[in-house]
Amino acid sequence: MREPQQDRSRATRQRLLEAAIECLADVGWAGSTVAVVAERAGVSRGAAQHHFPTREDLFAAAVDYVSDVRTEWIREHSADLPSGRERTKAVVDLVVRMYTGQVFRAALHLWVAASSDPQLRELVVPLEAHVGRAAHQLALDLLGVDESTPGVRETVQATLDLARGLGLANLLTDDGKRRARIVERWAEMLDASLNTLA
Amino acid sequence: MREPQQDRSRATRQRLLEAAIECLADVGWAGSTVAVVAERAGVSRGAAQHHFPTREDLFAAAVDYVSDVRTEWIREHSADLPSGRERTKAVVDLVVRMYTGQVFRAALHLWVAASSDPQLRELVVPLEAHVGRAAHQLALDLLGVDESTPGVRETVQATLDLARGLGLANLLTDDGKRRARIVERWAEMLDASLNTLA
């Protein structure tokens, strides 16, 4: 038995969340109001405010939602990853792609805005912790490594920190060519390091 | 023969540049006007505008200035660095500290603002390239490695990208404890990798 109204409501919510990320990545936090996002999503302002009373609610939900969708998508496609040495490279590539796209750009605007806005910070800090933990677990699972082995946890976290740094380097210019060489090199180092630790 | 007026002018300029970085790191780009910076520096608005006609001029000069001062400071103190394996750790520590302080926080505000402001972007892109090249050269020199050896360039760049990522992770919460473990681990990997490449 379908429930058309619930479906519509869910679809509206989803459109708002996706428009919020696009908007944040394009124009930054200052220009991203609920009204602007509602217009971009083709939803009335009233309907948008019914779902998300404040823009803080909207953007926190949006980052959470798109991160979950992306993580789920990667998990579903992880069966296609190669094995052995090629796998390490493919995983590093995937992880770095998570941090160089629109979602990272949107999150960056949110983090920087939160760094000089205590109210927004309170909302963003637990969100960032949640997204960070999910990315860490995903990287562990994809690499097939056990973080109880000394050094593995830090090595995997360094991979995520490096990916964040590469995301930042891609903010103002297309850093794709340089990034490909760093990813290649990092994958070699990561592979050697995980083999030494195991 | 001293030239008091030139000295005064130089001191004023320097106070403005330092206040600009503090201001940008504290309140972000939106709140950082020439007037606000002038007040923080204890300089009249007219004098500030004499030195820097626009806030874009002021902030580009500020990031450039503080990056140069910092690089110079590190070069002067590089004789104190230990040798051998301990040196790699000390250099990674120094590089990471360059990206976790106030100057990085200020630069981050500027980059993110520039990503949705084409005029500011035009100013910031060459500035970022200049600061990035200086950091790369500094890291090469401190590590005492030769980037004509295949793989060295990418390994050193990965170190700087990692440092940027760690800087970002320190934006909203004090990440010092986790960061110390990542730095330790990265120094081990970097040392092993540079020895393999050499």
Side-chain angles (χ1 to χ4, degrees):
Chain A
M1 214 180 81
R2 296 189 66 218
E3 292 171 272
Q5 205 184 330
Q6 266 201 2
D7 283 356
R8 266 206 308 278
S9 174
R10 197 177 296 122
T12 300
R13 189 172 187 276
Q14 198 166 316
R15 274 217 307 286
L16 285 167
L17 295 175
E18 280 160 7
I21 294 300
E22 282 172 30
C23 188
L24 193 52
D26 283 358
V27 305
W29 175 248
S32 294
T33 62
V34 174
V36 167
V37 172
E39 202 190 322
R40 195 185 268 253
V43 168
S44 75
R45 197 171 164 166
Q49 253 148 359
H50 167 72
H51 283 278
F52 303 104
T54 70
R55 71 168 176 162
E56 282 78 8
D57 295 331
L58 169 59
F59 285 95
V63 169
D64 218 23
Y65 167 76
V66 295
S67 300
D68 284 353
V69 167
R70 190 184 53 184
T71 305
E72 211 35 64
W73 187 88
I74 293 177
R75 287 206 181 274
E76 275 167 23
H77 288 77
S78 63
D80 310 336
L81 288 172
S83 58
R85 194 165 212 153
E86 283 304 300
R87 186 178 183 92
T88 311
K89 169 84 188 339
V91 173
V92 172
D93 210 55
L94 256 182
V95 167
V96 168
R97 265 197 272 161
M98 280 173 53
Y99 288 88
T100 44
Q102 196 185 43
V103 177
F104 176 75
R105 188 181 294 261
L108 195 54
H109 279 285
L110 204 59
W111 293 335
V112 168
S115 78
S116 42
D117 176 342
Q119 211 183 328
L120 187 58
R121 177 196 296 249
E122 238 175 86
L123 204 88
V124 169
V125 167
L127 176 68
E128 198 194 338
H130 167 75
V131 172
R133 270 193 306 271
H136 180 78
Q137 192 57 51
L138 183 67
L140 282 174
D141 294 347
L142 293 180
L143 289 167
V145 292
D146 177 0
E147 69 174 336
S148 69
T149 308
V152 166
R153 185 181 170 77
E154 288 74 19
T155 307
V156 170
Q157 291 206 351
T159 304
L160 295 168
D161 286 306
L162 174 72
R164 249 193 297 266
L166 289 169
L168 197 52
N170 199 51
L171 183 66
L172 296 180
T173 50
D174 178 3
D175 189 42
K177 267 177 76 177
R178 188 190 73 95
R179 186 169 64 242
R181 292 198 303 271
I182 309 283
V183 164
E184 183 94 26
R185 182 75 197 109
W186 174 252
E188 284 170 21
M189 290 176 73
L190 179 60
D191 203 62
S193 176
L194 291 176
N195 285 333
T196 309
L197 293 172
Chain B
M1 213 183 82
R2 297 190 63 218
E3 293 172 270
Q5 206 183 329
Q6 268 202 1
D7 282 357
R8 264 206 309 278
S9 176
R10 197 177 298 124
T12 300
R13 190 172 186 275
Q14 198 168 316
R15 272 218 307 285
L16 284 167
L17 295 174
E18 280 160 7
I21 294 298
E22 281 173 30
C23 188
L24 193 50
D26 282 358
V27 305
W29 176 248
S32 294
T33 61
V34 174
V36 167
V37 172
E39 202 189 324
R40 197 184 267 252
V43 169
S44 77
R45 196 170 166 167
Q49 252 147 0
H50 167 74
H51 283 277
F52 303 103
T54 70
R55 70 167 176 163
E56 283 78 9
D57 296 330
L58 170 59
F59 284 95
V63 169
D64 219 21
Y65 167 76
V66 293
S67 301
D68 285 352
V69 168
R70 192 184 50 183
T71 305
E72 211 36 65
W73 187 89
I74 293 177
R75 285 206 183 275
E76 275 166 23
H77 288 77
S78 62
D80 309 336
L81 288 172
S83 58
R85 194 167 212 151
E86 283 304 301
R87 187 177 183 94
T88 311
K89 168 80 189 337
V91 173
V92 172
D93 210 56
L94 255 182
V95 168
V96 168
R97 264 196 273 164
M98 280 173 55
Y99 288 88
T100 43
Q102 196 184 44
V103 177
F104 175 75
R105 189 181 293 261
L108 195 56
H109 279 285
L110 204 58
W111 294 335
V112 168
S115 78
S116 41
D117 176 341
Q119 210 184 328
L120 187 58
R121 177 196 296 250
E122 238 175 86
L123 203 90
V124 169
V125 167
L127 175 69
E128 198 193 338
H130 167 75
V131 172
R133 271 194 305 272
H136 181 77
Q137 193 56 53
L138 183 67
L140 281 174
D141 294 347
L142 293 180
L143 289 167
V145 291
D146 177 0
E147 67 174 338
S148 69
T149 308
V152 165
R153 187 181 168 75
E154 288 74 19
T155 308
V156 170
Q157 290 207 351
T159 304
L160 294 167
D161 285 307
L162 175 71
R164 250 195 295 267
L166 289 170
L168 198 51
N170 200 51
L171 184 66
L172 296 180
T173 49
D174 177 2
D175 190 42
K177 266 178 76 179
R178 188 189 74 95
R179 187 169 63 243
R181 292 197 303 270
I182 309 283
V183 164
E184 182 94 25
R185 181 76 197 108
W186 173 252
E188 284 170 19
M189 290 176 73
L190 178 61
D191 202 64
S193 176
L194 291 175
N195 284 335
T196 309
L197 294 170

